[in-house]
Every structure is written in C-alpha cells, then in structure tokens.
C-alpha cells in the first residue's frame, strides 16, 4: 500500500492526457506526419506562448494552424501580411460616428483568441512594431486607451525562408516574443504517399468541418494552470540557466539569449512533461524544447555566418556542452 502511494502521481493528468491524445487524432485526419510540429504547437498552447512556423510553401504550416484553431472552440482570425499593410489594418482604428458624434473604436482582426498571421515577414517594420505590445502584454493601446485581449490569446505566424523579394527581416525584439520558432521540413516518401491517398479520398479538398471542437476557453485556462503547477527540481532549473548562459559566453555568438529564454524553456518544459504523461520536468524535456526556444533568440558573429555555420548547429553545440543533471 505504501509503495502505491510512493509511485502515485502528485497531479491527476488523466483528463489532459486524454485531451492531448484526442487533439493529435483530430489533427491527423488532415495533416499527415509533422508530429513534432503538432506536439510543439500543443506545448505552446499549454505554455501560453506564441509560435513562429518557418518552412517552404506546401508543408502544411497554415493547414495545421487552421486545424488546431478549429479544435479550440474559440474565436479565430487570419491576417495575410503584405508590404502595404498598415498597423491600423491589424489593430483597428477610431472612426467618427455621425450617430453618436464621437469617435468609436473599431477593433481589427488581431482581436481574436487565435490569430494566424500568414507570411509575417512580408509586412514592413511599422506594422511589425504594432504587434510588440499585443504579443507581450496581451493588450492594445489606441489613442491613449487600453484594450485588453480576451484570454486565451495566441499568435501563430508563418514565414517562408526562401523568398527574399518583398520580405522584411523580423526585429530581434519581436522574435524574442515568440516562445518557439518551429522549422518544418518535407514529409517522408511514405507520409507523402499517405497524404495523397487521403487527399484523393476526400475528393481533392481539405474539409475542416470534419474537425471536432475539443477545447473551450475555460478548458485551456484550467490546463494552463495545471501545467504551471508541474514540478521542476532545482537541478533542472540550474541546467536551464547553464544552457542559456552558454549562449552568452560562446565566441561564435554575437547576441545571446535573454532571461526571457530561460522562462520560456521552463514553461515549455513543464508543458512537454505533461505531453509525456509526467507531473515533473526531466532534462530530456529541456533538451527537447531548448532548440526551438533558442534558435531565433541568438545571433551569430559575421565570421561564423560567412563560414556557413547555422544557429541550429550552434544551439545543439551549446546544449551538448552542458552536463546533464542526474
């Protein structure tokens, strides 16, 4: 009897574990493969973080984001970023009302629970800056008045790493506001064959109506509270600090990760633990999320970039340099 108590989880994860399994099953109806991207998106949702998804066209970036938003029974908005997009097109603007004789605020498309921004790097710096406040503080300030966002609020942004014409590099301050930068590659031959078979059986279309809503805003708030209570040992916290510290001390790094990265690794590691059915964080959770947290938060020196060295290679080296706690 005593042994049963020792191995009994401190937190009941049965409900959230079932929900996660259901989410994976729903996504798999339309999205073949890309399991890591799906798990990272679920992790970000539980950790209350925004996600930047980078990949060439046609690898299901936008489709996965749309499917995930449909699974959540909350408000969804999609914004196509273009070079002529203005901040008011995203945030909204004050419009004079002849009826009331006063200016009234007309909310923009960013006022939703899940905001999908397609090709985020196509908008100029002025529009990019409009997202700073809303992504970090979950509020918009227009004409001196504050408009808070309704919880939950998550930004899912996509960008194409190949296109250079008509694109703008995202500012470091904005990149730092994304919990993850997920890089999406091509599917395997088997996955692509399965995808073609499913697409043909669906009469050449992806019908989002087959996706069942599984989560309400209240569910998400409850699960996030549960994730926040997941335990991380002091040795794991020290492991996180050492990894982030290495990013500031390596000779190949021009700009290292900020303390926000340490918090992001901790929060996402807790969510990752829940995805794996545990109520405590392990070093393996940290090693899984760290590359996606750090790859967009560090800048290489010009010399290393000229050598063809990538941020991903450096991040992996930094992680491997730190001794894994036992």
């Amino acid at each position: 009897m005593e042994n049963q108590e020792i191995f009994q989880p401190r937190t009941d994860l049965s409900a959230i574990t079932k929900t996660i399994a259901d989410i994976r099953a729903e996504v798999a109806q339309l999205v073949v493969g890309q399991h890591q991207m799906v798990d990272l998106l679920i992790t970000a949702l539980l950790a209350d973080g925004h996600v930047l998804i980078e990949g060439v066209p046609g690898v299901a970036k936008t489709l996965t984001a749309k499917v995930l938003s449909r699974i959540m029974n909350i408000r969804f908005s999609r914004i196509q970023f273009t070079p002529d997009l203005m901040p008011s097109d995203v945030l909204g603007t004050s419009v004079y009302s002849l009826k009331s004789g006063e200016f009234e605020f007309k909310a923009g498309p960013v006022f939703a629970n899940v905001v999908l921004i397609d090709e985020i790097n196509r908008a100029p710096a002025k529009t990019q800056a409009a997202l700073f406040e809303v992504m970090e503080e979950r509020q918009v300030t227009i004409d001196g008045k504050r408009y808070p966002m309704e919880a939950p609020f998550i930004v899912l942004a996509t960008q194409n790493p190949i296109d250079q014409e008509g694109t703008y590099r995202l500012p470091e301050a904005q990149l730092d506001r994304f919990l993850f930068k997920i890089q999406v590659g091509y599917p395997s031959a088997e996955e692509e064959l399965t995808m073609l078979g499913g697409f043909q059986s669906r009469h050449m279309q992806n019908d989002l109506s087959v996706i069942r809503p599984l989560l309400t805003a209240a569910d998400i708030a409850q699960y996030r509270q549960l994730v926040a209570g997941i335990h991380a040992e002091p040795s794991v916290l020290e492991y996180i600090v050492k990894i982030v510290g290495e990013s500031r001390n390596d000779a190949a790094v021009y700009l290292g990760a900020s303390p926000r990265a340490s918090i992001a690794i901790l929060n996402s590691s807790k969510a990752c633990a829940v995805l794996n059915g545990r109520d405590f964080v392990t070093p393996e959770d940290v090693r899984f999320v760290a590359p996606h947290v750090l790859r967009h938060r560090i800048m290489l020196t010009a010399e290393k970039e000229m050598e063809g060295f990538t941020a991903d290679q450096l991040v992996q080296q930094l992680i491997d340099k730190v001794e894994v706690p036992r």
Side-chain angles (χ1 to χ4, degrees), residues 250-281:
D250 195 281
V253 178
Y254 174 73
L255 177 68
S258 71
R260 185 183 281 157
S262 300
I263 296 171
I265 292 176
L266 175 60
N267 289 340
S268 53
S269 293
K270 290 184 175 186
C272 182
V274 171
L275 254 70
N276 289 296
R278 284 183 275 98
D279 61 356
F280 59 92
V281 178

Side-chain angles (χ1 to χ4, degrees), residues 20-234:
I20 290 169
D22 290 343
I23 291 173
R24 286 168 170 159
E26 289 298 313
V27 173
Q29 290 191 74
L30 295 182
V31 179
V32 178
Q34 305 297 7
H35 302 298
Q36 185 181 81
M37 173 174 64
V38 173
D39 279 354
L40 287 170
L41 286 171
I42 298 173
T43 301
L45 173 66
L46 296 176
D48 192 13
H50 310 297
V51 178
L52 177 62
I53 310 172
E54 183 178 87
V56 297
V59 290
K61 302 187 302 294
T62 302
L63 176 61
T64 305
K66 288 166 67 177
V67 169
L68 190 66
S69 67
R70 186 167 178 84
I71 287 171
M72 297 179 279
N73 192 20
I74 50 182
R75 285 197 301 157
F76 169 74
S77 175
R78 178 177 177 176
I79 312 172
Q80 184 69 51
F81 268 29
T82 56
D84 61 348
L85 199 72
M86 299 297 290
S88 58
D89 297 326
V90 177
L91 304 179
T93 187
S94 295
V95 179
Y96 183 75
S97 171
L98 293 174
K99 185 177 180 180
S100 64
E102 297 178 349
F103 282 93
E104 297 179 355
F105 178 66
K106 299 295 183 184
V110 78
F111 282 84
N113 299 113
V114 178
V115 180
L116 171 60
I117 300 177
D118 252 340
E119 298 186 276
I120 189 172
N121 56 336
R122 287 199 172 276
K126 183 187 295 185
T127 306
Q128 299 290 357
L131 296 171
F132 283 17
E133 181 185 14
V134 70
M135 289 180 66
E136 178 63 21
E137 302 176 39
R138 267 68 170 183
Q139 69 176 33
V140 170
T141 304
I142 303 289
D143 297 331
K145 188 172 180 180
R146 185 175 71 91
Y147 299 93
M149 309 304 292
E150 179 185 315
F153 175 72
I154 181 171
V155 172
L156 304 176
T158 70
Q159 71 175 17
N160 178 359
I162 305 302
D163 273 352
Q164 300 300 325
E165 190 72 27
T167 62
Y168 302 82
R169 191 176 185 276
L170 299 188
E172 278 68 31
Q174 184 177 6
L175 285 170
D176 202 32
R177 283 161 168 76
F178 285 103
L179 176 72
F180 291 147
K181 179 182 178 182
I182 305 173
Q183 291 188 327
V184 186
Y186 290 112
S188 66
E190 293 78 12
E191 289 172 341
E192 196 159 358
L193 185 60
T194 303
M195 179 196 71
L196 290 178
F199 192 60
Q200 180 171 255
S201 67
R202 293 192 299 271
H203 305 290
M204 307 303 181
Q205 62 181 356
N206 289 318
D207 185 6
L208 290 172
S209 65
V210 303
I211 303 299
R212 293 180 300 139
L214 299 173
L215 287 169
T216 64
D219 293 331
I220 295 170
Q222 179 185 349
Y223 291 154
R224 284 178 174 177
Q225 188 175 5
L226 184 151
V227 167
I230 296 299
H231 182 69
E233 292 286 344

